[in-house]
Amino acid sequence: VPVFPWHSLVPFLEPSQSG
Amino acid sequence: PPSLSSTVAPPSLPPYFIKGSIIQLADGELKRVEDLKTEDFIQSAEISTELKIDSSTVERIEGSHTSPNFAVVQFSVGEHRAQVSVEVLVEYPFFVFGQGWSSCCPDRTTQLLELPCTKLSVGDVCISLTLKNLR
């Protein structure tokens, strides 16, 4: 049975750089 | 009509959203995808050395120009409220803080994945990831 890491389930949304 | 060009999102849903999929949290605990709670993500991110959780508020949801199967969701991300748009399948589930899995078309999500799901709406605050500051 495959096991998936928790961080696969939510999107990686890179905010724009500031400061 | 001419064939559509490819889109930024994958053509099918990843397998880990199917009900019953086994998910490993950062502390090693295993849970089914449908049993995940907001706290599971928060605690996993606290343990993580690289990732942190951002609050991403849904600002707009509209149909994709490329395919009726896709939607464009615009988020306001993090404390700087950066505007980020993602193109996803309408059944693609996001995790809403304190609520759980939500998608643009929850009927389709439930039909395809058997994943209990509510309707994603403008104003919902979703869990997203960003990098911790590494200095």
Side-chain angles (χ1 to χ4, degrees):
Chain A
V1 176
V3 176
F4 302 98
W6 68 275
H7 52 77
S8 300
L9 299 173
V10 281
F12 186 89
L13 299 180
E14 184 76 59
S16 60
Q17 299 297 315
S18 67
Chain B
S3 63
L4 297 168
S5 60
S6 63
T7 63
V8 298
S12 60
L13 285 173
Y16 37 75
F17 288 127
I18 299 170
K19 183 183 177 184
S21 294
I22 306 298
I23 310 301
Q24 185 167 39
L25 305 183
D27 64 1
E29 184 184 354
L30 300 178
K31 279 200 167 190
R32 291 188 177 87
V33 62
E34 66 271 20
D35 295 333
L36 291 172
K37 301 281 187 284
T38 303
E39 293 71 29
D40 294 325
F41 290 102
I42 292 174
Q43 288 166 9
S44 287
E46 284 175 353
I47 294 172
S48 171
T49 54
E50 293 184 342
L51 299 171
K52 72 169 184 176
I53 281 180
D54 255 344
S55 300
S56 292
T57 304
V58 177
E59 300 249 309
R60 195 188 308 172
I61 301 172
E62 53 189 31
S64 167
H65 296 296
T66 53
S67 166
N69 296 332
F70 288 85
V72 177
V73 182
Q74 183 180 335
F75 291 101
S76 171
V77 180
E79 58 183 313
H80 299 297
R81 306 188 66 77
Q83 300 298 303
V84 178
S85 291
V86 294
E87 186 171 26
V88 293
L89 287 162
V90 294
E91 60 267 26
Y92 189 96
F94 294 93
F95 200 94
V96 176
F97 274 92
Q99 180 174 313
W101 296 111
S102 300
S103 76
C104 299
C105 189
D107 288 347
R108 248 181 97 76
T109 307
T110 306
Q111 178 192 344
L112 292 169
L113 304 170
E114 298 183 46
L115 184 70
C117 199
T118 58
K119 172 90 174 158
L120 187 69
S121 305
V122 170
D124 283 348
V125 182
C126 297
I127 293 177
S128 67
L129 296 173
T130 187
L131 288 177
K132 282 181 174 167
N133 282 326
L134 301 171
R135 296 184 184 228

